[in-house]
Amino acid sequence: MDNPSTAWTDRTTLDLTGLRVTLSDPVLVRRTRRFCWFPSLIRLDGGDLYACISPVGDVHVPSSPVHLARSGDGGLTWDEPRLLMDAGLSHVSLPDGSALMLPYYLRPRAGGMGASANRILPGGEVQFLTGAVTVTGWDRPSRSYAEELGLSGFVFNGQSVASTEGGWMTTLYGYFEGDSRYSLVWAESSDGFKWTIRSLIAGSDCPLEGPEGPCESAICRLADGRILCVFRNGSFVPYGQVWSADEGRTWSAPVALAAQSVEPSLQALPSGVVALSGGRPGIFIWFSAEGQGTDWQPVDVVAHHNACRPAADAIDPDSRRIDCSSEEMLRQGRGGYSSCYTELIRLDDRHLLLIYDRLGLSWQAIPDRSEATNSVWVVRIRVDKNSGGLT
């Protein structure tokens, strides 16, 4: 049943080494027969939540659209989404309580690249800011994602952290001219609008397994002050991770995680615990109880989702099975996968919110003769430290 609840209902409690993790019933954010996937989350200082959902296929477009749904009750209910253009899946929380949605696609500008952006104000108003965001400081030209669309070779992707020196820092990935694999770069800004490239996190020559190279990424600040960055190298291969102890000027050599493989998301709790979400195959949250990002313990979100929802909403944990058209899946009686794109946000000192999607069939549009739907869900996670280890 999709009827909203008036309170969170906790359903699964797991004891990990040093941690107790409790997951709520999944709550529906949006259901439609149209594209509805690649979700992310924004939380304003006042508590309002926003779910950002892609309404188009997995293709390059001249101006990235996002459906933006709002929740005023901590994620239990969501309003009808509005459509934004020149939107993205990264944001910066500004001092006035607003959130600047950094654009995904960028276009060539004098001295670099840039694009328009959207700003979410307290109270729900969204401002469209023409040409507001720029990125300069490039020491190499980029190779366009799609020259016919006028796109630059790098995109904003991931999360942002406040700098100890003032302002913000974030990541972009893309192709440098002459490269066949992605590179991941670090950028800084004093105001959230004008960004300058500070360093290369990991380049196209990254030695880790993966045909794509360092791309989709997540960042957080650890309790010891260092910055942790986790990034994708390709579908179905391990994430890479690096650390910086000097605000992103230099980075450690990349090492592989046991976790994999697309669009990671990180959150650090005041207790020092670090949570990482992602997957493919499957959807997982991994917890680093000691807070260094070296001892990840998994929690299977698909297993939890399937235990809570009826069969019609079940997610097939084996994303490798998305290997044919929607019509062929209908003929075989298959369906119910996920892009495995997720995001975590922190609600308070002990609670996180995870967002993820369920695809009715495959990456393609749902045929008219099918009753399948695409949907986006959130789960609230409570994290408690266990002083006695495994309980």
Side-chain angles (χ1 to χ4, degrees):
M1 292 173 49
D2 294 338
N3 294 331
S5 172
T6 57
W8 292 101
T9 301
D10 290 336
R11 284 289 299 271
T12 302
T13 297
L14 301 168
D15 286 312
L16 308 179
T17 301
L19 296 176
R20 172 165 287 178
V21 177
T22 304
L23 288 78
S24 76
D25 262 335
V27 168
L28 182 71
V29 177
R30 179 163 170 75
R31 187 189 297 276
T32 177
R33 298 190 69 256
R34 309 307 173 196
F35 285 111
C36 178
W37 57 345
F38 302 140
S40 65
L41 288 167
I42 296 172
R43 182 181 183 276
L44 296 192
D45 289 343
D48 278 358
L49 303 175
Y50 291 86
C52 308
I53 302 167
S54 175
V56 296
D58 191 16
V59 295
H60 293 308
V61 292
S63 175
S64 55
V66 161
H67 274 151
L68 186 73
R70 179 185 181 190
S71 173
D73 57 9
L76 286 166
T77 60
W78 299 83
D79 69 3
E80 183 70 17
R82 71 196 84 181
L83 178 65
L84 306 182
M85 303 304 294
D86 274 316
L89 304 179
S90 307
H91 74 279
V92 171
S93 296
L94 298 177
D96 64 358
S98 67
L100 177 66
M101 297 177 67
L102 297 174
Y104 182 69
Y105 290 117
L106 300 168
R107 299 171 182 82
R109 295 284 188 270
M113 52 189 75
S116 299
N118 292 271
R119 186 174 188 173
I120 307 172
L121 303 179
E125 179 186 353
V126 179
Q127 296 177 333
F128 182 76
L129 306 174
T130 303
V133 173
T134 59
V135 186
T136 58
W138 301 94
D139 62 356
R140 295 174 58 189
S142 68
R143 173 166 69 85
S144 174
Y145 270 101
E147 290 186 9
E148 67 277 11
L149 299 179
L151 303 179
S152 293
F154 277 75
V155 296
F156 278 108
N157 177 268
Q159 298 164 288
S160 64
V161 295
S163 170
T164 59
E165 302 163 358
W168 295 268
M169 302 177 292
T170 193
T171 56
L172 300 92
Y173 79 85
Y175 293 108
F176 284 115
E177 192 174 89
D179 288 347
S180 58
R181 298 173 81 223
Y182 289 122
S183 291
L184 181 64
V185 299
W186 187 248
E188 60 182 342
S189 174
S190 61
D191 61 4
F193 294 88
K194 296 180 177 62
W195 294 86
T196 303
I197 301 303
R198 170 171 276 191
S199 65
L200 176 71
I201 299 173
S204 62
D205 59 351
C206 176
L208 300 183
E209 176 188 4
E212 299 169 4
C215 49
E216 298 164 353
S217 64
I219 55 175
C220 72
R221 188 178 294 279
L222 303 179
D224 63 11
R226 291 180 302 156
I227 297 165
L228 169 64
C229 177
V230 174
F231 55 88
R232 168 177 171 164
N233 290 292
S235 191
F236 304 112
V237 299
Y239 292 124
Q241 63 178 359
V242 291
W243 293 261
S244 175
D246 57 7
E247 296 297 279
R249 291 181 178 85
T250 60
W251 297 87
S252 64
V255 295
L257 285 75
Q260 60 183 47
S261 66
V262 303
E263 189 71 6
S265 180
L266 284 167
Q267 284 294 330
L269 292 169
S271 64
V273 175
V274 179
L276 164 67
S277 70
R280 194 184 293 174
I283 303 170
F284 292 87
I285 308 172
W286 296 270
F287 291 93
S288 174
E290 44 76 70
Q292 303 299 305
T294 57
D295 68 331
W296 300 105
Q297 302 178 72
V299 170
D300 189 335
V301 175
V302 169
H304 169 75
H305 177 96
N306 290 348
C308 296
R309 297 299 306 171
D313 283 332
I315 297 174
D316 189 320
D318 187 1
S319 314
R320 298 176 191 272
R321 284 163 48 85
I322 306 181
D323 56 0
C324 58
S325 69
S326 294
E327 289 289 352
E328 181 62 20
M329 285 192 176
L330 281 174
R331 190 186 70 79
Q332 296 180 18
R334 293 200 284 124
Y337 296 93
S338 175
S339 73
C340 306
Y341 278 57
T342 66
E343 185 156 28
L344 283 169
I345 60 165
R346 186 162 68 89
L347 297 175
D348 55 40
D349 287 357
R350 291 193 294 181
H351 289 94
L352 302 165
L353 194 69
L354 172 74
I355 193 167
Y356 58 95
D357 61 34
R358 178 191 182 273
L359 311 181
L361 292 172
S362 73
W363 256 231
Q364 302 159 13
I366 297 173
D368 288 344
R369 66 185 183 88
S370 170
E371 296 182 358
T373 60
N374 297 317
S375 51
V376 168
W377 303 82
V378 289
V379 167
R380 192 185 69 163
I381 303 112
R382 174 169 169 160
V383 183
D384 295 295
K385 275 201 165 184
N386 286 334
S387 58
L390 189 63
T391 62

